[in-house]
Amino acid sequence: MSDFDLVIKGGTVVTASDTFRSDIAIKEGEIAALGHNLGSANREIDADGMLVLPGGIDAHCHIEQESSTKLMTADDFYSGSVSAAFGGNTTFIPFAAQHRGQSLRDVVKTAHDRAGPKSVIDFAFHLIISDPTENVLGQELPALIMEGYSSFKVYMTYEMLKIDDHQMLDVLSLARRYGAMTMVHAENNDVINWLSERLVTRGYTAPKYHAVSHNPIAESEASRRAIDLARLADAKLLIVHVSAPEAAHAILNARNQGLPIYGETCPQYLFLTADDLDRDGMEGAKFCCSPPPRDKAGQEAIWRGLTNGTFQVFSSDHAPYRYDETGKFSAGPNPTFKKIANGVPGIETRMPLLFSEGVGKGRLSLNEFVALTSTNAAKIYGLHPRKGAIAIGSDADIAIWDPNWKRTISQSMIHDNMDYTPYEGMEVTGWPRTVINQGRIVIEDETLQVERGSGQFLERKTETPTPAAPSDDAPLGPRYTFGADLM
Ligand code: URP
Ligand code: ZN
Ligand code: ZN
């Protein structure tokens, strides 16, 4: 009988902190040993010349999710997870989205019914809270947090999803009490509506005006407000899909004050610009997402944010709506920018794009790449050290990465259920050859190797709430100014 199920030999292991030569032995789905001459195995993989990374964690993606206008994403949990796996991911965290009037319990059950039989990689759920009723805040949400749904997203825009500041304070203070993470889509709804009305009444309805109506000020104002509300509630907060430099500055400024504010950005803000929304005819619809891509200077500011402490998490925000009547044109063939479904796909290209343009072009170290694409998300969302680590006892979630594999991105090689990729024609160097989840080889020889439904649901931990230590220059939350009983 062999000592191990699998040994990965001769590769260079990269974690968020270290880079070293080591073999990895796997037994019963976990990493059992690191070193050399580890013993016999049922199967060996030669990783000579390869980087051996923790499997990616895509912490923001919309899979088999209905929008507030009842539009279903093009990917279900099968196509979405297969595409994620081909891009080096072993875990993803889509949303169980509450629409107004719905019970959170029902929403979570539906998400499980959809994901369990289909996902080929491990999964957890963030909740979306659009209707924080007394029952949601008093019963459902506390119970769900304790059952492992320890993060939830709230919206400051979108008519049917947004909550007001009063409701946001309710959510934040509950999150504070239970050690959960609030994620926020920070854009000022009134600013967007005010600009949109002016544009549409003057006949400016083409896709490019989506970017005009979602002015960076809408994003920076809402980001600063969200940070202030989190300060008031003494709660941690993660601002998702940041695109505007001023919003990034607000996050960095808060973090420099010692506040538990976190930031996420996405490929669309590094590799696309508002000019993409101005492509011929209605092509610009392919690039309509919120917040929208900005300009070249904005891209550079977002790149800087990946290394200067602004952003901890790099997610895809994969929101797949096809370039047809089931997606972008569900409101008709020639919609105004207001009626184009928001979102871009990118779950498979997230890691290769960042590797190629980040590590390959000297903007990021290998360790920063691992932190941004895996380890930090595991830590922030209560999955570490089970996920996001190459360590004895961690799940054997590994991407064996070929740093020299040159590929030209085209939709024909992507495994999602979309009919376009925003990154068509981009040349990238570096892509995973083999992807392993809990010791199961999911991708090998450019082929899916596992059955649908073989991924597992992950319950996530909460953090024991610890108040930020008061110091001379740290702003005090109400726990200190009014007393804990107020919260
Ligand atoms: O445009 C986007 N990002 N659509 C997806 C939904 C969201 O707000 O993340
Ligand atoms: Zn959002
Ligand atoms: Zn999103």
Side-chain angles (χ1 to χ4, degrees), residues 60 62 153 155 158 185 241 269 288-291 317 319 342-344:
H60 183 158
H62 302 270
K153 181 175 174 187
Y155 286 81
Y158 290 128
H185 180 134
H241 48 47
Y269 309 122
C288 284
C289 58
S290 298
D317 192 9
N342 275 209
V344 293

Side-chain angles (χ1 to χ4, degrees), residues 238-277:
L238 187 143
I239 304 186
V240 295
H241 48 47
V242 175
S243 72
E246 241 189 89
H249 293 156
I251 294 169
L252 186 58
N253 186 32
R255 291 181 60 76
N256 285 340
Q257 291 177 63
L259 292 166
I261 303 297
Y262 302 86
E264 174 202 77
T265 193
C266 313
Q268 44 274 36
Y269 309 122
L270 297 180
F271 304 112
L272 304 176
T273 67
D275 288 345
D276 288 306
L277 280 79

Side-chain angles (χ1 to χ4, degrees), residues 195-212:
L195 287 168
S196 299
E197 280 163 23
R198 271 163 178 69
L199 288 162
V200 172
T201 53
R202 286 162 178 77
Y204 300 124
T205 59
K208 68 175 173 182
Y209 296 107
H210 172 76
V212 179

